[in-house]
Amino acid sequence: MRLKKYTDYALRVLIYVNSKEEGELTSIKEISETFGISQNHLSKIVYQLGQLELLHTIRGRNGGIALSKSPEDINIGHVVRMMEDDFVMMECFDRDTNTCVITPSCKLKHVLNDALIAFLRVLDQYTLNDLTANKDELWDLMDINS
């Protein structure tokens, strides 16, 4: 299973925002510089995270980005499901484009589907708080507050 870069970056944004001191805002520019991701791409991600009510954006001179929920209430499995546009692992997962002749009898699609379900169940066991339990290490690596 491989997540799209979009989902990877969304998780990084959430981790970064939650790694800041409580009440401290951050900016797309700051996140962009930390991870080397284009501001334009991050803007789209931050917008979607805002639409999902995971981030709150404040416009203006003293504006920035903050979590709109407690990190304990942001489930990683939910975030991944919302950010991924599909979970088509193989051709046979998409009925509209599947041309594989063995699909009616193939057991592989069932095995992979079981694996996908297990993957998402594991992610469902974690929150953003779990991913940022080591804030001091994250601060050092991301050069936050220096």
Side-chain angles (χ1 to χ4, degrees):
M1 179 72 207
R2 182 176 182 150
L3 299 177
K4 293 177 181 71
K5 281 186 180 180
Y6 193 83
T7 304
D8 173 14
Y9 295 166
L11 292 168
R12 290 191 214 186
V13 166
L14 292 171
I15 289 168
Y16 189 90
V17 171
N18 192 50
S19 295
K20 301 291 277 187
E21 291 291 332
E22 190 170 332
E24 185 180 355
L25 299 175
T26 190
S27 68
I28 289 173
K29 181 180 181 197
E30 193 176 323
I31 298 167
S32 171
E33 290 172 354
T34 298
F35 292 113
I37 302 168
S38 91
Q39 289 184 41
N40 185 42
H41 198 56
L42 283 175
S43 294
K44 295 173 189 173
I45 292 166
V46 167
Y47 176 78
Q48 185 173 355
L49 292 171
Q51 292 294 303
L52 295 171
E53 299 180 353
L54 299 174
L55 290 181
H56 178 66
T57 56
I58 301 162
R59 293 189 180 270
R61 186 172 191 197
N62 296 318
I65 304 164
L67 294 178
S68 60
K69 293 182 175 185
S70 168
E72 295 87 9
D73 295 330
I74 298 177
N75 180 274
I76 301 307
H78 174 75
V79 173
V80 167
R81 284 179 184 87
M82 295 298 102
M83 301 309 288
E84 291 288 314
D85 56 0
D86 66 54
F87 287 98
V88 175
M89 296 176 69
M90 291 178 52
E91 179 182 335
C92 58
F93 277 57
D94 187 346
R95 289 185 176 140
D96 294 336
T97 60
N98 183 22
T99 60
C100 181
V101 296
I102 65 170
T103 297
S105 296
C106 184
K107 303 292 183 195
L108 179 59
K109 66 183 174 207
H110 302 295
V111 171
L112 291 174
N113 190 56
D114 289 348
L116 175 61
I117 291 167
F119 175 76
L120 293 170
R121 277 192 192 135
V122 169
L123 293 178
D124 287 339
Q125 296 173 29
Y126 294 92
T127 67
L128 181 57
N129 196 52
D130 297 320
L131 300 185
T132 56
N134 58 339
K135 280 187 181 182
D136 290 342
E137 291 175 62
L138 292 170
W139 285 343
D140 289 343
L141 293 168
M142 295 187 290
D143 202 27
I144 294 177
N145 298 331
S146 48

